Amino acid sequence: MRFIFKYFLISLAFITLPNISFTQETDVKYEKEEKIKQSEFPESAIELIDPILKKGKRTRYFKDHEKDNYFFEVKTIYKEEKISIKFYKDGSLLDIEILKELNELPKDIQEKILQYFQSNYKKHQLVRIQIQYNREEEYEEGELEIDDDEEYLEEFLEMDIEDLIIKYEIEAEVVDEKNERGFFEFLFDDEGKRLPSL
């Protein structure tokens, strides 16, 4: 609750500043988080992540409103890690993330991320960092093969990194060369390279 309130204050401060810049290369972070009961969560999603829920601590359920869309998200502490699992409206699995500090990332990734911010902004503050574990996608005999939700979750639980796509999601306050400020979300690949906006 403390983080949500802090996040709201940061967002409010930047919304009210007259010199905010929204560039095409940066994702504007718009998200309204609504806490809900487990009974309001898709039943299929609850069944899928039952192994995590049984061992999870301080588990909370949310409905995330993002622009004109919404997702379901569960946050819990599993094996001493703060994880969040996001689902589409129909209860199918979108992604799994673990909250981290910068110094917990691989050294080369830390350096590349810091280099990106130092090269592109006058000032920056990394507010929230998550490792995003995405399902593997590969072509076999010319056809795209994508792991189903059960395989994807099993690979995460076993930390089968070879069969997962790793990305780093970072929410940051930045000040550009024109002294324009903003609060944005950035995504980096498993080599620390900034990924373009969708």
Side-chain angles (χ1 to χ4, degrees), residues 1-10 33 60 128:
M1 185 68 183
R2 183 181 301 170
F3 173 78
I4 295 172
F5 182 68
K6 177 182 175 185
Y7 176 81
F8 172 76
L9 288 179
I10 292 171
E33 207 171 58
R60 295 162 296 156
R128 183 180 174 89

Side-chain angles (χ1 to χ4, degrees), residues 29 47 49 65 76 84 90 121 126 137 154 181 183 196:
K29 183 65 177 174
E47 291 174 0
I49 60 172
H65 301 270
T76 191
S84 63
D90 65 359
Y121 299 99
L126 308 185
E137 298 179 3
E154 184 178 345
R181 297 174 176 268
F183 184 74

Side-chain angles (χ1 to χ4, degrees), residues 48-103:
L48 177 70
I49 60 172
D50 184 61
I52 292 175
L53 296 179
K54 282 180 177 176
K55 296 181 180 180
K57 300 174 184 175
R58 300 210 308 249
T59 303
R60 295 162 296 156
Y61 302 87
F62 299 91
K63 191 173 184 180
D64 293 341
H65 301 270
E66 298 181 9
K67 297 181 182 177
D68 298 325
N69 203 2
Y70 71 86
F71 302 89
F72 291 99
E73 184 175 16
V74 59
K75 296 182 182 181
T76 191
I77 298 175
Y78 176 75
K79 293 185 176 180
E80 308 305 318
E81 298 278 13
K82 293 180 180 179
I83 71 170
S84 63
I85 308 170
K86 188 174 280 191
F87 296 87
Y88 292 104
K89 298 176 187 178
D90 65 359
S92 58
L93 189 52
L94 173 57
D95 63 39
I96 306 171
E97 299 174 328
I98 295 182
L99 189 66
K100 291 289 185 181
E101 297 293 333
L102 182 65
N103 61 13

Side-chain angles (χ1 to χ4, degrees), residues 124-138:
H124 68 274
Q125 181 178 358
L126 308 185
V127 178
R128 183 180 174 89
I129 300 171
Q130 295 185 109
I131 300 180
Q132 192 179 92
Y133 298 88
N134 297 276
R135 73 183 77 214
E136 185 179 41
E137 298 179 3
E138 60 184 359

